[in-house]
Amino acid sequence: MLTVEDLTVAFGPTVAVRGVDLHAEPGTVTGILGANGAGKTTTLLGVHGRVRRRSGRILFDGRDVTGDDTRALVRAGIALCPENRRLFPNMSIEDNLLLGAYGHGRRTQRARLADVLGRFAWLRERAGEPAGRLSGGQQQIVAIARALMSHPRLVLLDEPSSGLSPVAVDEIGDVLAGIAADGTTILLVEQNVRLVQRLCSTAYVLAHGRVAAQGPVSTLLADSAVSDAYLGTT
Ligand code: ATP
């Protein structure tokens, strides 16, 4: 589904991601773990063409999309749900969602909105309210729903658990499990080990911009050298 080869991203003299290779199988949730500043967000942004790559090849469904810009990648079926949700708090939930289908005709936008609101019935009730009135967990669900508005086959998801209570994190876990069960592939940046354990089959551990470890999540978490050094699980 997604293959990333030799991705390198630098911000001036700071090399944030160095030669990262990764692969996400269709219909799975693949984790990207690692400490603060390890390069997780930059990896997602690099895949999605939102930062300039110094090197790297991106293959999506067997097609080389390296030269595609973010807009083309969204059209090809890759959506990003960014860190900190990035909603417009004063805009209605509905208008926030419609931004996820930006560039499509009105009929398509309306059809997708109906689809997404069908999945989250409570959102339909509140669609006219400002997004900022929702709890953090609810806002995260709106951010995920906005990503779904582009009908992605792959969602790049950046720290959905950030700042949420354990109960809200469990709810996000339910939502993501449902999306994955429908066959949507997810590449999940996450520091919440419990959420990773629940959702991901395999994961990559980044450290200082490189892949420090990779494999089945159960194996990675059982390896105390990996979890002590990079995941802060002790
Ligand atoms: P966090 O969990 O804190 O979000 P992360 O693993 O996602 O961390 P990145 O945000 O990808 O890490 O950052 C990797 C490195 O690149 C860090 O040293 C960071 O300071 C640097 N960096 C990220 N974005 C920029 C930028 N726009 N300009 C300069 N340096 C940046």
Side-chain angles (χ1 to χ4, degrees):
M1 148 79 40
L2 177 76
T3 301
V4 176
E5 292 172 357
D6 190 30
L7 177 66
T8 297
V9 177
F11 301 103
T14 308
V15 184
V17 172
R18 297 168 188 266
V20 163
D21 294 320
L22 58 84
H23 184 72
E25 290 290 336
T28 63
V29 185
T30 301
I32 301 182
L33 323 180
N36 288 337
K40 307 179 297 296
T41 295
T42 306
T43 297
L44 291 192
L45 298 179
V47 169
H48 214 225
R50 289 174 188 249
V51 289
R52 207 161 65 80
R53 305 177 197 117
R54 186 179 276 184
S55 70
R57 193 157 169 252
I58 316 291
L59 301 170
F60 180 56
D61 269 352
R63 198 165 72 79
D64 190 331
V65 295
T66 309
D68 289 13
D69 62 11
T70 300
R71 216 184 146 122
L73 291 172
V74 172
R75 208 170 307 125
I78 307 178
L80 174 76
C81 184
E83 195 171 20
N84 300 325
R85 324 192 220 294
R86 300 289 161 104
L87 299 180
F88 291 94
N90 298 324
M91 266 168 56
S92 69
I93 292 166
E94 178 171 318
D95 286 344
N96 271 282
L97 291 175
L98 286 168
L99 288 177
Y102 180 78
H104 288 278
R106 205 176 149 73
R107 263 175 58 174
T108 304
Q109 287 185 340
R110 287 285 142 193
R112 291 190 179 177
L113 184 67
D115 253 21
V116 163
L117 293 178
R119 182 189 273 275
F120 304 106
W122 64 269
L123 263 186
R124 191 168 40 207
E125 314 284 306
R126 303 188 61 177
E129 290 181 29
R133 204 180 286 169
L134 299 175
S135 70
Q138 290 168 331
Q139 291 191 30
Q140 181 61 58
I141 291 173
V142 173
I144 294 168
R146 179 186 55 195
L148 296 180
M149 288 285 292
S150 64
H151 273 196
R153 282 173 295 133
L154 170 67
V155 179
L156 310 173
L157 190 54
D158 200 349
E159 292 221 33
S161 80
S162 174
L164 302 184
S165 70
V167 172
V169 173
D170 282 346
E171 281 168 13
I172 298 297
D174 293 343
V175 167
L176 296 180
I179 292 168
D182 289 344
T184 306
T185 308
I186 299 175
L187 190 56
L188 175 69
V189 163
E190 206 22 275
Q191 302 213 46
N192 183 310
V193 171
R194 230 163 63 86
L195 192 60
V196 168
Q197 266 176 318
R198 174 175 172 194
L199 295 172
C200 301
S201 40
T202 58
Y204 293 79
V205 179
L206 295 189
H208 309 296
R210 298 182 199 278
V211 175
Q214 68 186 80
V217 166
S218 49
T219 312
L220 288 176
L221 295 179
D223 182 340
S224 58
V226 170
S227 46
D228 293 356
Y230 307 120
L231 307 178
T233 48
T234 52

Coordinates of all heavy atoms in Angstrom, one line a residue, residues 129-190:
E129 N -22.9 23.6 15.5 CA -22.2 24.3 16.6 C -20.8 24.6 16.2 O -20.2 23.9 15.5 CB -22.2 23.4 17.8 CG -23.6 23.2 18.4 CD -23.5 22.3 19.7 OE1 -22.4 22.3 20.4 OE2 -24.5 21.6 19.9
P130 N -20.2 25.6 16.9 CA -18.8 25.9 16.7 C -18.0 24.7 17.2 O -18.3 24.1 18.2 CB -18.5 27.1 17.6 CG -19.8 27.7 17.9 CD -20.8 26.6 17.8
A131 N -16.9 24.3 16.4 CA -16.1 23.2 16.8 C -15.5 23.3 18.1 O -15.3 22.4 18.9 CB -15.1 22.9 15.7
G132 N -15.1 24.6 18.5 CA -14.5 24.9 19.7 C -15.3 24.6 21.0 O -14.8 24.6 22.1
R133 N -16.6 24.3 20.8 CA -17.4 24.1 21.9 C -17.3 22.6 22.3 O -17.8 22.2 23.4 CB -18.9 24.4 21.5 CG -19.7 24.7 22.8 CD -21.1 25.0 22.4 NE -21.3 26.3 21.8 CZ -22.4 26.8 21.2 NH1 -23.5 25.9 21.1 NH2 -22.5 28.0 20.7
L134 N -16.7 21.8 21.5 CA -16.6 20.3 21.8 C -15.5 20.0 22.8 O -14.5 20.8 22.9 CB -16.4 19.5 20.5 CG -17.5 19.6 19.4 CD1 -17.0 18.9 18.2 CD2 -18.8 19.1 19.9
S135 N -15.6 18.9 23.4 CA -14.4 18.5 24.3 C -13.3 18.1 23.4 O -13.4 17.9 22.2 CB -14.9 17.3 25.1 OG -15.0 16.1 24.2
G136 N -12.1 18.0 24.0 CA -10.9 17.6 23.3 C -11.1 16.3 22.5 O -10.7 16.2 21.3
G137 N -11.6 15.3 23.1 CA -11.8 14.0 22.5 C -12.8 14.1 21.3 O -12.6 13.6 20.2
Q138 N -13.8 14.9 21.5 CA -14.8 15.1 20.4 C -14.2 15.9 19.2 O -14.4 15.6 18.1 CB -16.0 15.9 20.9 CG -16.9 15.1 21.9 CD -17.9 15.9 22.6 OE1 -17.7 17.1 22.8 NE2 -19.0 15.3 22.9
Q139 N -13.3 16.9 19.6 CA -12.6 17.6 18.5 C -11.7 16.7 17.7 O -11.6 16.8 16.5 CB -11.8 18.8 19.1 CG -12.8 19.9 19.7 CD -12.0 21.1 20.0 OE1 -11.0 21.5 19.4 NE2 -12.5 21.9 21.0
Q140 N -11.1 15.8 18.5 CA -10.2 14.8 17.7 C -11.0 14.0 16.8 O -10.6 13.7 15.6 CB -9.5 13.9 18.7 CG -8.5 12.9 18.1 CD -7.4 13.6 17.3 OE1 -6.7 14.4 17.8 NE2 -7.3 13.3 16.0
I141 N -12.2 13.6 17.2 CA -13.1 12.8 16.3 C -13.5 13.6 15.0 O -13.5 13.1 13.9 CB -14.3 12.2 17.0 CG1 -13.8 11.2 18.0 CG2 -15.3 11.6 16.1 CD1 -14.8 10.7 19.0
V142 N -13.7 14.9 15.3 CA -14.0 15.8 14.1 C -12.8 15.9 13.2 O -13.0 15.8 11.9 CB -14.4 17.2 14.6 CG1 -14.6 18.2 13.4 CG2 -15.7 17.2 15.4
A143 N -11.6 16.0 13.7 CA -10.4 16.0 12.9 C -10.3 14.7 12.1 O -9.9 14.8 10.9 CB -9.2 16.3 13.8
I144 N -10.6 13.6 12.7 CA -10.5 12.3 12.0 C -11.6 12.3 10.9 O -11.3 11.9 9.8 CB -10.6 11.1 13.0 CG1 -9.4 11.1 13.9 CG2 -10.8 9.8 12.2 CD1 -9.6 10.2 15.1
A145 N -12.8 12.8 11.3 CA -13.9 12.8 10.3 C -13.6 13.7 9.1 O -13.9 13.4 8.0 CB -15.2 13.2 11.0
R146 N -12.9 14.8 9.4 CA -12.5 15.7 8.3 C -11.5 15.0 7.4 O -11.7 15.2 6.1 CB -11.8 17.0 8.9 CG -11.4 18.0 7.9 CD -10.6 19.1 8.5 NE -9.5 18.6 9.3 CZ -8.8 19.3 10.2 NH1 -9.1 20.5 10.4 NH2 -7.8 18.7 10.9
A147 N -10.6 14.2 7.9 CA -9.7 13.4 7.0 C -10.5 12.4 6.2 O -10.2 12.2 5.0 CB -8.7 12.7 7.9
L148 N -11.6 11.9 6.8 CA -12.4 10.9 6.0 C -13.1 11.5 4.9 O -13.6 10.8 3.9 CB -13.3 10.1 6.9 CG -12.7 9.3 8.1 CD1 -13.8 8.6 8.9 CD2 -11.7 8.3 7.5
M149 N -13.4 12.8 5.0 CA -14.1 13.6 3.9 C -13.5 13.5 2.6 O -14.1 13.7 1.5 CB -14.3 15.0 4.3 CG -15.3 15.3 5.5 SD -17.0 15.1 5.0 CE -17.2 16.5 3.9
S150 N -12.2 13.2 2.5 CA -11.5 13.0 1.2 C -11.6 11.6 0.7 O -11.0 11.3 -0.3 CB -10.1 13.5 1.2 OG -9.3 12.7 2.1
H151 N -12.3 10.7 1.4 CA -12.4 9.3 1.0 C -11.0 8.7 0.9 O -10.7 8.1 -0.2 CB -13.2 9.1 -0.3 CG -14.7 9.0 0.0 ND1 -15.6 8.5 -0.9 CD2 -15.4 9.3 1.1 CE1 -16.8 8.6 -0.4 NE2 -16.7 9.1 0.8
P152 N -10.2 8.8 1.9 CA -8.8 8.2 1.8 C -8.8 6.7 1.8 O -9.7 6.1 2.4 CB -8.2 8.8 3.0 CG -9.2 8.9 4.0 CD -10.5 9.3 3.2
R153 N -7.8 6.2 1.2 CA -7.5 4.7 1.5 C -6.4 4.6 2.5 O -6.2 3.6 3.1 CB -7.1 4.1 0.1 CG -8.4 3.8 -0.7 CD -8.1 3.3 -2.0 NE -7.4 4.3 -2.8 CZ -6.3 4.1 -3.5 NH1 -5.7 2.9 -3.6 NH2 -5.7 5.0 -4.2
L154 N -5.6 5.7 2.7 CA -4.6 5.7 3.7 C -4.7 7.0 4.5 O -4.8 8.1 3.9 CB -3.2 5.7 3.0 CG -2.0 6.0 3.9 CD1 -1.8 4.8 4.9 CD2 -0.7 6.1 3.1
V155 N -4.8 6.9 5.9 CA -4.8 8.1 6.7 C -3.5 8.1 7.5 O -3.1 7.2 8.2 CB -6.0 8.0 7.7 CG1 -6.0 9.3 8.6 CG2 -7.3 8.0 7.0
L156 N -2.8 9.3 7.4 CA -1.6 9.6 8.2 C -2.1 10.3 9.4 O -2.7 11.4 9.3 CB -0.7 10.5 7.4 CG -0.3 10.0 6.0 CD1 0.5 11.1 5.3 CD2 0.4 8.7 6.0
L157 N -1.9 9.7 10.6 CA -2.6 10.2 11.8 C -1.6 10.6 12.8 O -0.8 9.7 13.3 CB -3.5 9.1 12.3 CG -4.6 9.4 13.3 CD1 -5.4 10.6 13.0 CD2 -5.4 8.1 13.5
D158 N -1.6 11.9 13.2 CA -0.5 12.3 14.1 C -1.0 12.5 15.6 O -1.8 13.4 15.8 CB 0.1 13.6 13.6 CG 1.5 13.9 14.1 OD1 1.9 13.2 15.1 OD2 2.2 14.8 13.6
E159 N -0.6 11.6 16.4 CA -0.9 11.7 17.9 C -2.3 12.0 18.3 O -2.5 13.0 18.9 CB 0.1 12.7 18.5 CG 1.5 12.2 18.5 CD 2.3 12.5 19.8 OE1 1.6 12.5 20.9 OE2 3.5 12.8 19.7
P160 N -3.2 11.2 17.9 CA -4.6 11.5 18.2 C -4.9 11.5 19.7 O -5.9 12.1 20.1 CB -5.4 10.4 17.5 CG -4.4 9.3 17.3 CD -3.1 9.9 17.1
S161 N -4.1 10.8 20.5 CA -4.4 10.8 21.9 C -3.9 12.0 22.7 O -4.1 12.2 23.9 CB -3.7 9.5 22.5 OG -2.3 9.8 22.7
S162 N -3.2 12.9 22.0 CA -2.5 14.0 22.7 C -3.4 14.8 23.5 O -4.4 15.4 23.0 CB -1.8 14.8 21.6 OG -1.2 15.9 22.1
G163 N -3.1 15.0 24.8 CA -3.9 15.8 25.7 C -5.2 15.3 26.1 O -6.0 16.0 26.7
L164 N -5.5 14.0 25.8 CA -6.9 13.5 26.1 C -6.8 12.6 27.4 O -5.8 12.0 27.7 CB -7.4 12.7 24.9 CG -7.5 13.5 23.6 CD1 -8.2 12.6 22.5 CD2 -8.3 14.7 23.7
S165 N -8.0 12.5 28.0 CA -8.1 11.7 29.2 C -8.1 10.2 28.7 O -8.4 9.9 27.5 CB -9.5 12.0 29.8 OG -10.5 11.5 29.0
P166 N -7.8 9.3 29.6 CA -7.8 7.9 29.3 C -9.2 7.4 28.6 O -9.2 6.6 27.7 CB -7.6 7.1 30.6 CG -6.8 8.1 31.4 CD -7.4 9.5 31.0
V167 N -10.3 7.9 29.1 CA -11.6 7.5 28.6 C -11.7 8.0 27.1 O -12.1 7.3 26.2 CB -12.8 8.1 29.4 CG1 -14.1 7.9 28.8 CG2 -12.7 7.5 30.8
A168 N -11.3 9.3 26.9 CA -11.4 9.8 25.5 C -10.4 9.0 24.6 O -10.7 8.8 23.5 CB -11.0 11.3 25.6
V169 N -9.3 8.7 25.1 CA -8.3 7.9 24.3 C -8.9 6.5 23.9 O -8.8 6.1 22.8 CB -7.0 7.6 25.1 CG1 -6.1 6.7 24.3 CG2 -6.3 9.0 25.3
D170 N -9.7 5.9 24.9 CA -10.4 4.7 24.5 C -11.4 4.9 23.4 O -11.6 4.1 22.5 CB -11.1 4.1 25.8 CG -10.1 3.4 26.7 OD1 -8.9 3.2 26.2 OD2 -10.4 3.1 27.8
E171 N -12.1 6.0 23.5 CA -13.1 6.3 22.5 C -12.4 6.5 21.1 O -12.9 6.0 20.1 CB -13.9 7.6 22.8 CG -15.0 7.2 23.9 CD -15.6 8.5 24.5 OE1 -15.4 9.6 24.0 OE2 -16.3 8.3 25.5
I172 N -11.3 7.2 21.1 CA -10.6 7.4 19.8 C -10.1 6.0 19.3 O -10.2 5.7 18.1 CB -9.3 8.3 20.1 CG1 -9.7 9.7 20.5 CG2 -8.4 8.4 18.8 CD1 -10.6 10.5 19.5
G173 N -9.7 5.2 20.2 CA -9.3 3.8 19.8 C -10.5 3.1 19.2 O -10.3 2.4 18.1
D174 N -11.7 3.2 19.7 CA -12.9 2.6 19.1 C -13.1 3.1 17.7 O -13.4 2.4 16.7 CB -14.1 2.9 19.9 CG -14.1 2.2 21.3 OD1 -13.3 1.3 21.5 OD2 -14.9 2.7 22.2
V175 N -13.0 4.5 17.5 CA -13.2 5.1 16.2 C -12.2 4.6 15.2 O -12.5 4.2 14.1 CB -13.1 6.6 16.3 CG1 -13.0 7.3 15.0 CG2 -14.3 7.2 17.1
L176 N -10.9 4.5 15.6 CA -9.9 4.1 14.7 C -10.0 2.6 14.4 O -9.8 2.2 13.2 CB -8.5 4.4 15.3 CG -8.2 5.9 15.5 CD1 -6.8 6.1 16.1 CD2 -8.3 6.7 14.2
A177 N -10.4 1.8 15.4 CA -10.5 0.4 15.1 C -11.6 0.2 14.0 O -11.5 -0.6 13.2 CB -10.9 -0.3 16.4
G178 N -12.7 1.0 14.1 CA -13.8 0.9 13.2 C -13.4 1.3 11.8 O -13.7 0.7 10.8
I179 N -12.6 2.4 11.7 CA -12.1 2.8 10.4 C -11.2 1.8 9.8 O -11.3 1.4 8.6 CB -11.3 4.2 10.6 CG1 -12.3 5.3 10.9 CG2 -10.6 4.6 9.3 CD1 -11.7 6.5 11.4
A180 N -10.3 1.2 10.6 CA -9.4 0.1 10.1 C -10.2 -1.1 9.7 O -9.9 -1.7 8.6 CB -8.4 -0.2 11.2
A181 N -11.3 -1.4 10.4 CA -12.1 -2.6 10.1 C -12.8 -2.4 8.7 O -13.1 -3.4 8.1 CB -13.1 -2.8 11.2
D182 N -13.0 -1.2 8.4 CA -13.6 -0.9 7.1 C -12.6 -1.0 5.9 O -12.9 -0.8 4.8 CB -14.2 0.5 7.0 CG -15.5 0.6 7.9 OD1 -16.0 -0.4 8.2 OD2 -15.9 1.7 8.2
G183 N -11.3 -1.3 6.3 CA -10.3 -1.5 5.2 C -9.4 -0.3 5.0 O -8.6 -0.3 4.1
T184 N -9.6 0.8 5.7 CA -8.8 2.0 5.5 C -7.4 1.7 6.2 O -7.4 1.3 7.4 CB -9.4 3.3 6.1 OG1 -10.7 3.4 5.4 CG2 -8.6 4.5 5.8
T185 N -6.4 2.0 5.5 CA -5.0 1.8 6.1 C -4.7 3.0 6.9 O -5.0 4.1 6.5 CB -4.0 1.6 5.0 OG1 -4.5 0.5 4.1 CG2 -2.6 1.2 5.5
I186 N -4.0 2.8 8.1 CA -3.6 3.9 8.9 C -2.1 3.8 9.3 O -1.6 2.8 9.6 CB -4.5 3.9 10.2 CG1 -6.0 4.0 9.9 CG2 -4.0 5.0 11.2 CD1 -6.9 3.9 11.1
L187 N -1.5 5.0 9.1 CA -0.1 5.1 9.6 C -0.2 6.0 10.8 O -0.6 7.2 10.7 CB 0.8 5.7 8.5 CG 2.3 5.7 8.8 CD1 2.8 4.3 9.0 CD2 3.0 6.3 7.5
L188 N 0.1 5.5 12.0 CA -0.3 6.2 13.3 C 1.0 6.6 14.1 O 1.7 5.7 14.6 CB -1.1 5.2 14.1 CG -1.5 5.6 15.5 CD1 -2.5 6.8 15.5 CD2 -2.1 4.4 16.3
V189 N 1.2 7.9 14.2 CA 2.2 8.4 15.1 C 1.5 8.5 16.5 O 0.5 9.1 16.7 CB 2.7 9.8 14.7 CG1 3.4 10.5 15.8 CG2 3.6 9.7 13.4
E190 N 2.2 7.8 17.5 CA 1.5 7.8 18.8 C 2.5 7.5 19.9 O 3.5 6.8 19.7 CB 0.5 6.6 18.7 CG -0.7 6.7 19.6 CD -1.1 8.0 20.2 OE1 -0.5 8.4 21.2 OE2 -2.0 8.7 19.6

